[in-house]
mmCIF file of all heavy atoms in Angstrom:
data_model
loop_
_atom_site.group_PDB
_atom_site.id
_atom_site.type_symbol
_atom_site.label_atom_id
_atom_site.label_comp_id
_atom_site.label_asym_id
_atom_site.label_seq_id
_atom_site.Cartn_x
_atom_site.Cartn_y
_atom_site.Cartn_z
ATOM 1 N N PRO F 534 205.401 -194.821 -6.953
ATOM 2 C CA PRO F 534 204.231 -194.511 -6.144
ATOM 3 C C PRO F 534 204.133 -195.376 -4.920
ATOM 4 O O PRO F 534 204.464 -196.610 -4.939
ATOM 5 C CB PRO F 534 203.067 -194.743 -7.149
ATOM 6 C CG PRO F 534 203.592 -195.758 -8.132
ATOM 7 C CD PRO F 534 205.054 -195.413 -8.247
ATOM 8 N N MET F 535 203.638 -194.830 -3.806
ATOM 9 C CA MET F 535 203.639 -195.634 -2.662
ATOM 10 C C MET F 535 202.159 -196.153 -2.289
ATOM 11 O O MET F 535 202.007 -197.211 -1.735
ATOM 12 C CB MET F 535 204.129 -194.805 -1.494
ATOM 13 C CG MET F 535 205.608 -194.671 -1.411
ATOM 14 S SD MET F 535 206.094 -193.908 0.123
ATOM 15 C CE MET F 535 207.843 -193.826 -0.115
ATOM 16 N N HIS F 536 201.170 -195.368 -2.638
ATOM 17 C CA HIS F 536 199.828 -195.835 -2.308
ATOM 18 C C HIS F 536 199.302 -196.717 -3.421
ATOM 19 O O HIS F 536 199.463 -196.433 -4.638
ATOM 20 C CB HIS F 536 198.877 -194.623 -2.197
ATOM 21 C CG HIS F 536 197.593 -194.974 -1.368
ATOM 22 N ND1 HIS F 536 196.582 -195.699 -1.833
ATOM 23 C CD2 HIS F 536 197.323 -194.731 -0.030
ATOM 24 C CE1 HIS F 536 195.712 -195.891 -0.924
ATOM 25 N NE2 HIS F 536 196.118 -195.356 0.175
ATOM 26 N N PRO F 537 198.743 -197.911 -3.041
ATOM 27 C CA PRO F 537 198.136 -198.790 -4.080
ATOM 28 C C PRO F 537 197.217 -198.077 -5.094
ATOM 29 O O PRO F 537 197.192 -198.344 -6.219
ATOM 30 C CB PRO F 537 197.458 -199.828 -3.344
ATOM 31 C CG PRO F 537 198.157 -199.878 -1.941
ATOM 32 C CD PRO F 537 198.542 -198.450 -1.741
ATOM 33 N N TYR F 538 196.439 -197.096 -4.562
ATOM 34 C CA TYR F 538 195.485 -196.327 -5.411
ATOM 35 C C TYR F 538 196.302 -195.535 -6.424
ATOM 36 O O TYR F 538 195.930 -195.530 -7.629
ATOM 37 C CB TYR F 538 194.632 -195.439 -4.549
ATOM 38 C CG TYR F 538 193.646 -194.616 -5.337
ATOM 39 C CD1 TYR F 538 192.683 -195.250 -6.107
ATOM 40 C CD2 TYR F 538 193.727 -193.263 -5.360
ATOM 41 C CE1 TYR F 538 191.788 -194.474 -6.900
ATOM 42 C CE2 TYR F 538 192.846 -192.420 -6.048
ATOM 43 C CZ TYR F 538 191.863 -193.075 -6.836
ATOM 44 O OH TYR F 538 190.989 -192.314 -7.613
ATOM 45 N N ARG F 540 199.213 -196.220 -7.550
ATOM 46 C CA ARG F 540 199.786 -197.190 -8.550
ATOM 47 C C ARG F 540 198.718 -197.610 -9.584
ATOM 48 O O ARG F 540 198.968 -197.742 -10.743
ATOM 49 C CB ARG F 540 200.314 -198.343 -7.786
ATOM 50 C CG ARG F 540 201.121 -199.191 -8.702
ATOM 51 C CD ARG F 540 201.870 -200.380 -8.146
ATOM 52 N NE ARG F 540 202.165 -201.297 -9.234
ATOM 53 C CZ ARG F 540 202.207 -202.499 -9.154
ATOM 54 N NH1 ARG F 540 202.027 -203.187 -7.965
ATOM 55 N NH2 ARG F 540 202.515 -203.298 -10.241
ATOM 56 N N PHE F 579 190.117 -196.786 1.201
ATOM 57 C CA PHE F 579 190.369 -197.526 -0.044
ATOM 58 C C PHE F 579 190.338 -199.027 0.163
ATOM 59 O O PHE F 579 190.385 -199.780 -0.783
ATOM 60 C CB PHE F 579 191.725 -197.112 -0.601
ATOM 61 C CG PHE F 579 192.107 -197.647 -1.929
ATOM 62 C CD1 PHE F 579 191.269 -197.414 -3.033
ATOM 63 C CD2 PHE F 579 193.190 -198.441 -2.053
ATOM 64 C CE1 PHE F 579 191.592 -197.958 -4.297
ATOM 65 C CE2 PHE F 579 193.519 -198.983 -3.307
ATOM 66 C CZ PHE F 579 192.751 -198.712 -4.405
ATOM 67 N N HIS F 580 190.138 -199.457 1.400
ATOM 68 C CA HIS F 580 190.349 -200.929 1.682
ATOM 69 C C HIS F 580 189.355 -201.841 0.897
ATOM 70 O O HIS F 580 189.710 -202.998 0.592
ATOM 71 C CB HIS F 580 190.414 -201.252 3.148
ATOM 72 C CG HIS F 580 189.030 -201.493 3.768
ATOM 73 N ND1 HIS F 580 188.366 -200.543 4.444
ATOM 74 C CD2 HIS F 580 188.289 -202.608 3.759
ATOM 75 C CE1 HIS F 580 187.176 -201.061 4.822
ATOM 76 N NE2 HIS F 580 187.048 -202.289 4.536
ATOM 77 N N THR F 581 188.262 -201.317 0.601
ATOM 78 C CA THR F 581 187.251 -202.144 -0.094
ATOM 79 C C THR F 581 187.650 -202.406 -1.573
ATOM 80 O O THR F 581 187.065 -203.286 -2.193
ATOM 81 C CB THR F 581 185.877 -201.475 -0.080
ATOM 82 O OG1 THR F 581 185.963 -200.194 -0.677
ATOM 83 C CG2 THR F 581 185.264 -201.433 1.353
ATOM 84 N N ARG F 582 188.554 -201.685 -2.129
ATOM 85 C CA ARG F 582 189.013 -201.835 -3.458
ATOM 86 C C ARG F 582 190.514 -202.187 -3.589
ATOM 87 O O ARG F 582 191.099 -202.134 -4.721
ATOM 88 C CB ARG F 582 188.681 -200.580 -4.264
ATOM 89 C CG ARG F 582 187.203 -200.261 -4.271
ATOM 90 C CD ARG F 582 186.985 -198.896 -4.933
ATOM 91 N NE ARG F 582 186.974 -198.954 -6.322
ATOM 92 C CZ ARG F 582 187.174 -197.874 -7.138
ATOM 93 N NH1 ARG F 582 187.399 -196.677 -6.626
ATOM 94 N NH2 ARG F 582 187.100 -198.017 -8.425
ATOM 95 N N CYS F 583 191.167 -202.486 -2.467
ATOM 96 C CA CYS F 583 192.584 -202.651 -2.403
ATOM 97 C C CYS F 583 193.027 -204.088 -2.434
ATOM 98 O O CYS F 583 192.477 -204.868 -1.582
ATOM 99 C CB CYS F 583 193.242 -201.898 -1.262
ATOM 100 S SG CYS F 583 194.969 -201.976 -1.207
ATOM 101 N N TRP F 584 193.909 -204.560 -3.241
ATOM 102 C CA TRP F 584 194.370 -205.878 -3.288
ATOM 103 C C TRP F 584 195.306 -206.223 -2.104
ATOM 104 O O TRP F 584 195.743 -207.340 -1.980
ATOM 105 C CB TRP F 584 195.037 -206.148 -4.657
ATOM 106 C CG TRP F 584 196.274 -205.428 -4.917
ATOM 107 C CD1 TRP F 584 197.575 -205.823 -4.743
ATOM 108 C CD2 TRP F 584 196.394 -204.081 -5.416
ATOM 109 N NE1 TRP F 584 198.450 -204.856 -5.117
ATOM 110 C CE2 TRP F 584 197.764 -203.790 -5.579
ATOM 111 C CE3 TRP F 584 195.457 -203.134 -5.885
ATOM 112 C CZ2 TRP F 584 198.196 -202.549 -6.049
ATOM 113 C CZ3 TRP F 584 195.913 -201.916 -6.377
ATOM 114 C CH2 TRP F 584 197.294 -201.618 -6.455
ATOM 115 N N LYS F 585 195.764 -205.219 -1.394
ATOM 116 C CA LYS F 585 196.612 -205.458 -0.231
ATOM 117 C C LYS F 585 195.985 -205.391 1.110
ATOM 118 O O LYS F 585 196.601 -205.397 2.183
ATOM 119 C CB LYS F 585 197.787 -204.427 -0.298
ATOM 120 C CG LYS F 585 198.568 -204.476 -1.589
ATOM 121 C CD LYS F 585 199.735 -203.456 -1.595
ATOM 122 C CE LYS F 585 200.975 -204.105 -1.205
ATOM 123 N NZ LYS F 585 202.177 -203.194 -1.330
ATOM 124 N N ALA F 586 194.621 -205.143 1.068
ATOM 125 C CA ALA F 586 193.913 -204.830 2.348
ATOM 126 C C ALA F 586 194.048 -205.951 3.395
ATOM 127 O O ALA F 586 193.916 -207.118 3.073
ATOM 128 C CB ALA F 586 192.424 -204.587 2.015
ATOM 129 N N THR F 587 194.223 -205.519 4.615
ATOM 130 C CA THR F 587 194.278 -206.452 5.756
ATOM 131 C C THR F 587 193.279 -206.033 6.810
ATOM 132 O O THR F 587 192.587 -205.014 6.657
ATOM 133 C CB THR F 587 195.689 -206.493 6.398
ATOM 134 O OG1 THR F 587 195.995 -205.163 6.893
ATOM 135 C CG2 THR F 587 196.778 -206.821 5.358
ATOM 136 N N GLU F 588 193.305 -206.836 7.893
ATOM 137 C CA GLU F 588 192.403 -206.536 9.010
ATOM 138 C C GLU F 588 192.529 -205.055 9.534
ATOM 139 O O GLU F 588 191.597 -204.342 9.801
ATOM 140 C CB GLU F 588 192.647 -207.565 10.100
ATOM 141 C CG GLU F 588 191.584 -207.583 11.134
ATOM 142 C CD GLU F 588 190.114 -207.788 10.614
ATOM 143 O OE1 GLU F 588 189.944 -208.487 9.623
ATOM 144 O OE2 GLU F 588 189.224 -207.129 11.245
ATOM 145 N N ARG F 589 193.771 -204.689 9.655
ATOM 146 C CA ARG F 589 194.096 -203.326 10.163
ATOM 147 C C ARG F 589 193.502 -202.264 9.268
ATOM 148 O O ARG F 589 192.976 -201.286 9.686
ATOM 149 C CB ARG F 589 195.598 -203.153 10.346
ATOM 150 C CG ARG F 589 195.887 -201.750 10.930
ATOM 151 C CD ARG F 589 197.352 -201.506 11.100
ATOM 152 N NE ARG F 589 197.912 -202.310 12.136
ATOM 153 C CZ ARG F 589 199.052 -201.969 12.765
ATOM 154 N NH1 ARG F 589 199.778 -200.925 12.392
ATOM 155 N NH2 ARG F 589 199.590 -202.693 13.683
ATOM 156 N N CYS F 590 193.602 -202.489 7.946
ATOM 157 C CA CYS F 590 193.039 -201.496 6.996
ATOM 158 C C CYS F 590 191.588 -201.324 7.175
ATOM 159 O O CYS F 590 191.047 -200.216 7.033
ATOM 160 C CB CYS F 590 193.300 -201.947 5.601
ATOM 161 S SG CYS F 590 194.993 -202.321 5.198
ATOM 162 N N ARG F 591 190.951 -202.356 7.600
ATOM 163 C CA ARG F 591 189.448 -202.285 7.796
ATOM 164 C C ARG F 591 189.064 -201.497 9.057
ATOM 165 O O ARG F 591 188.005 -200.957 9.165
ATOM 166 C CB ARG F 591 188.901 -203.766 7.809
ATOM 167 C CG ARG F 591 187.402 -203.872 7.525
ATOM 168 C CD ARG F 591 187.005 -205.296 7.419
ATOM 169 N NE ARG F 591 187.328 -206.040 8.719
ATOM 170 C CZ ARG F 591 186.630 -206.023 9.816
ATOM 171 N NH1 ARG F 591 185.521 -205.338 9.860
ATOM 172 N NH2 ARG F 591 186.977 -206.744 10.867
ATOM 173 N N CYS F 608 199.021 -195.263 4.149
ATOM 174 C CA CYS F 608 198.788 -196.655 3.857
ATOM 175 C C CYS F 608 199.500 -197.570 4.837
ATOM 176 O O CYS F 608 200.689 -197.281 5.151
ATOM 177 C CB CYS F 608 199.300 -196.965 2.432
ATOM 178 S SG CYS F 608 199.003 -198.670 1.892
ATOM 179 N N HIS F 609 198.838 -198.659 5.249
ATOM 180 C CA HIS F 609 199.560 -199.552 6.189
ATOM 181 C C HIS F 609 200.445 -200.536 5.418
ATOM 182 O O HIS F 609 201.417 -201.114 5.999
ATOM 183 C CB HIS F 609 198.490 -200.466 6.900
ATOM 184 C CG HIS F 609 197.591 -199.673 7.777
ATOM 185 N ND1 HIS F 609 198.073 -198.867 8.831
ATOM 186 C CD2 HIS F 609 196.246 -199.633 7.863
ATOM 187 C CE1 HIS F 609 197.037 -198.330 9.477
ATOM 188 N NE2 HIS F 609 195.944 -198.743 8.875
ATOM 189 N N HIS F 610 200.246 -200.626 4.118
ATOM 190 C CA HIS F 610 201.054 -201.580 3.298
ATOM 191 C C HIS F 610 201.486 -200.868 2.053
ATOM 192 O O HIS F 610 201.071 -201.287 0.906
ATOM 193 C CB HIS F 610 200.269 -202.866 3.050
ATOM 194 C CG HIS F 610 199.516 -203.493 4.230
ATOM 195 N ND1 HIS F 610 200.268 -204.115 5.183
ATOM 196 C CD2 HIS F 610 198.300 -203.462 4.571
ATOM 197 C CE1 HIS F 610 199.420 -204.493 6.181
ATOM 198 N NE2 HIS F 610 198.206 -204.097 5.860
ATOM 199 N N PRO F 611 202.344 -199.917 2.101
ATOM 200 C CA PRO F 611 202.673 -199.155 0.937
ATOM 201 C C PRO F 611 203.511 -199.891 -0.081
ATOM 202 O O PRO F 611 204.163 -200.909 0.308
ATOM 203 C CB PRO F 611 203.449 -197.957 1.539
ATOM 204 C CG PRO F 611 203.985 -198.472 2.773
ATOM 205 C CD PRO F 611 203.010 -199.346 3.341
ATOM 206 N N GLU F 612 203.424 -199.487 -1.276
ATOM 207 C CA GLU F 612 204.335 -199.959 -2.328
ATOM 208 C C GLU F 612 205.648 -199.217 -2.183
ATOM 209 O O GLU F 612 205.657 -198.077 -1.660
ATOM 210 C CB GLU F 612 203.757 -199.618 -3.666
ATOM 211 C CG GLU F 612 202.342 -200.080 -3.950
ATOM 212 C CD GLU F 612 202.349 -201.511 -4.521
ATOM 213 O OE1 GLU F 612 202.855 -201.691 -5.655
ATOM 214 O OE2 GLU F 612 201.857 -202.429 -3.886
ATOM 215 N N ASN F 613 206.706 -199.754 -2.573
ATOM 216 C CA ASN F 613 208.009 -199.098 -2.664
ATOM 217 C C ASN F 613 208.413 -198.545 -1.301
ATOM 218 O O ASN F 613 209.189 -197.547 -1.277
ATOM 219 C CB ASN F 613 207.987 -197.949 -3.660
ATOM 220 C CG ASN F 613 207.691 -198.494 -5.075
ATOM 221 O OD1 ASN F 613 208.275 -199.336 -5.546
ATOM 222 N ND2 ASN F 613 206.621 -197.883 -5.708
ATOM 223 N N ALA F 614 208.032 -199.135 -0.222
ATOM 224 C CA ALA F 614 208.421 -198.700 1.114
ATOM 225 C C ALA F 614 208.180 -199.852 2.086
ATOM 226 O O ALA F 614 207.397 -200.750 1.748
ATOM 227 C CB ALA F 614 207.638 -197.499 1.560
ATOM 228 N N PRO F 615 208.848 -199.852 3.287
ATOM 229 C CA PRO F 615 208.587 -200.904 4.158
ATOM 230 C C PRO F 615 207.091 -201.018 4.595
ATOM 231 O O PRO F 615 206.401 -200.004 4.816
ATOM 232 C CB PRO F 615 209.422 -200.546 5.395
ATOM 233 C CG PRO F 615 210.402 -199.528 4.901
ATOM 234 C CD PRO F 615 209.760 -198.822 3.708
ATOM 235 N N ASP F 616 206.701 -202.279 4.714
ATOM 236 C CA ASP F 616 205.280 -202.540 5.135
ATOM 237 C C ASP F 616 205.133 -202.007 6.587
ATOM 238 O O ASP F 616 206.014 -202.297 7.427
ATOM 239 C CB ASP F 616 205.027 -204.040 5.051
ATOM 240 C CG ASP F 616 203.534 -204.352 5.047
ATOM 241 O OD1 ASP F 616 202.821 -203.764 5.960
ATOM 242 O OD2 ASP F 616 203.077 -205.045 4.192
ATOM 243 N N ALA F 618 202.661 -202.823 8.574
ATOM 244 C CA ALA F 618 202.013 -203.822 9.408
ATOM 245 C C ALA F 618 202.185 -205.169 8.749
ATOM 246 O O ALA F 618 201.200 -205.728 8.329
ATOM 247 C CB ALA F 618 200.491 -203.505 9.585
ATOM 248 N N ASP F 621 200.011 -208.448 9.610
ATOM 249 C CA ASP F 621 198.527 -208.341 9.616
ATOM 250 C C ASP F 621 197.883 -209.289 8.644
ATOM 251 O O ASP F 621 198.351 -209.322 7.458
ATOM 252 C CB ASP F 621 198.151 -206.925 9.313
ATOM 253 C CG ASP F 621 196.865 -206.525 9.901
ATOM 254 O OD1 ASP F 621 196.488 -207.111 10.960
ATOM 255 O OD2 ASP F 621 196.232 -205.619 9.339
ATOM 256 N N PRO F 622 196.837 -210.104 9.076
ATOM 257 C CA PRO F 622 196.267 -211.036 8.120
ATOM 258 C C PRO F 622 195.428 -210.278 7.000
ATOM 259 O O PRO F 622 194.736 -209.382 7.234
ATOM 260 C CB PRO F 622 195.340 -211.841 8.999
ATOM 261 C CG PRO F 622 195.084 -210.994 10.191
ATOM 262 C CD PRO F 622 196.314 -210.142 10.380
ATOM 263 N N ALA F 623 195.627 -210.865 5.793
ATOM 264 C CA ALA F 623 194.941 -210.224 4.657
ATOM 265 C C ALA F 623 193.468 -210.482 4.733
ATOM 266 O O ALA F 623 193.003 -211.522 5.202
ATOM 267 C CB ALA F 623 195.557 -210.849 3.336
ATOM 268 N N LEU F 624 192.713 -209.575 4.193
ATOM 269 C CA LEU F 624 191.253 -209.715 4.109
ATOM 270 C C LEU F 624 190.927 -210.626 2.904
ATOM 271 O O LEU F 624 191.517 -210.513 1.897
ATOM 272 C CB LEU F 624 190.532 -208.417 3.876
ATOM 273 C CG LEU F 624 190.495 -207.375 5.046
ATOM 274 C CD1 LEU F 624 189.786 -206.145 4.557
ATOM 275 C CD2 LEU F 624 189.860 -208.044 6.235
ATOM 276 N N SER F 626 188.497 -210.476 0.949
ATOM 277 C CA SER F 626 187.968 -209.737 -0.174
ATOM 278 C C SER F 626 189.151 -209.110 -1.025
ATOM 279 O O SER F 626 188.923 -208.766 -2.181
ATOM 280 C CB SER F 626 187.086 -208.604 0.322
ATOM 281 O OG SER F 626 187.811 -207.802 1.166
ATOM 282 N N ALA F 627 190.292 -209.025 -0.497
ATOM 283 C CA ALA F 627 191.469 -208.366 -1.220
ATOM 284 C C ALA F 627 191.752 -209.068 -2.530
ATOM 285 O O ALA F 627 192.039 -208.418 -3.552
ATOM 286 C CB ALA F 627 192.654 -208.275 -0.299
ATOM 287 N N ARG F 628 191.627 -210.376 -2.564
ATOM 288 C CA ARG F 628 191.963 -211.140 -3.751
ATOM 289 C C ARG F 628 191.032 -210.753 -4.917
ATOM 290 O O ARG F 628 191.507 -210.824 -6.072
ATOM 291 C CB ARG F 628 191.812 -212.642 -3.523
ATOM 292 C CG ARG F 628 192.891 -213.194 -2.534
ATOM 293 C CD ARG F 628 192.612 -214.641 -2.370
ATOM 294 N NE ARG F 628 192.665 -215.286 -3.657
ATOM 295 C CZ ARG F 628 193.448 -216.286 -3.877
ATOM 296 N NH1 ARG F 628 194.217 -216.757 -2.992
ATOM 297 N NH2 ARG F 628 193.460 -216.870 -5.129
ATOM 298 N N GLU F 629 189.881 -210.369 -4.568
ATOM 299 C CA GLU F 629 188.933 -210.060 -5.686
ATOM 300 C C GLU F 629 188.845 -208.593 -5.983
ATOM 301 O O GLU F 629 188.119 -208.151 -6.857
ATOM 302 C CB GLU F 629 187.453 -210.422 -5.117
ATOM 303 C CG GLU F 629 187.311 -211.839 -4.563
ATOM 304 C CD GLU F 629 187.518 -212.833 -5.644
ATOM 305 O OE1 GLU F 629 187.069 -212.592 -6.791
ATOM 306 O OE2 GLU F 629 188.117 -213.911 -5.354
ATOM 307 N N ALA F 630 189.677 -207.845 -5.306
ATOM 308 C CA ALA F 630 189.605 -206.295 -5.502
ATOM 309 C C ALA F 630 189.958 -205.783 -6.818
ATOM 310 O O ALA F 630 189.474 -204.769 -7.280
ATOM 311 C CB ALA F 630 190.362 -205.627 -4.392
ATOM 312 N N VAL F 631 190.939 -206.361 -7.460
ATOM 313 C CA VAL F 631 191.401 -205.858 -8.706
ATOM 314 C C VAL F 631 191.557 -206.958 -9.793
ATOM 315 O O VAL F 631 191.596 -208.103 -9.559
ATOM 316 C CB VAL F 631 192.819 -205.205 -8.643
ATOM 317 C CG1 VAL F 631 192.749 -203.951 -7.791
ATOM 318 C CG2 VAL F 631 193.879 -206.094 -8.103
ATOM 319 N N GLU F 659 201.780 -212.051 -10.039
ATOM 320 C CA GLU F 659 201.226 -210.924 -9.299
ATOM 321 C C GLU F 659 201.620 -209.601 -9.994
ATOM 322 O O GLU F 659 202.516 -209.609 -10.822
ATOM 323 C CB GLU F 659 201.909 -210.969 -7.834
ATOM 324 C CG GLU F 659 201.296 -211.999 -7.019
ATOM 325 C CD GLU F 659 199.843 -211.698 -6.704
ATOM 326 O OE1 GLU F 659 199.579 -210.684 -6.187
ATOM 327 O OE2 GLU F 659 198.963 -212.536 -6.995
ATOM 328 N N PRO F 660 201.019 -208.506 -9.568
ATOM 329 C CA PRO F 660 201.477 -207.204 -10.150
ATOM 330 C C PRO F 660 202.960 -207.060 -9.967
ATOM 331 O O PRO F 660 203.390 -207.316 -8.767
ATOM 332 C CB PRO F 660 200.678 -206.162 -9.312
ATOM 333 C CG PRO F 660 199.555 -206.882 -8.689
ATOM 334 C CD PRO F 660 199.924 -208.335 -8.637
#
Side-chain angles (χ1 to χ4, degrees):
M535 284 187 182
H536 201 282
Y538 178 62
R540 191 177 162 209
F579 185 59
H580 86 261
T581 54
R582 301 172 81 200
C583 183
W584 65 96
K585 302 181 95 174
T587 62
E588 193 52 38
R589 182 182 287 201
C590 305
R591 200 172 57 79
C608 183
H609 296 306
H610 311 288
E612 304 271 295
N613 300 307
D616 199 310
D621 207 26
L624 289 179
S626 58
R628 291 179 58 124
E629 309 293 325
V631 293
E659 285 295 303

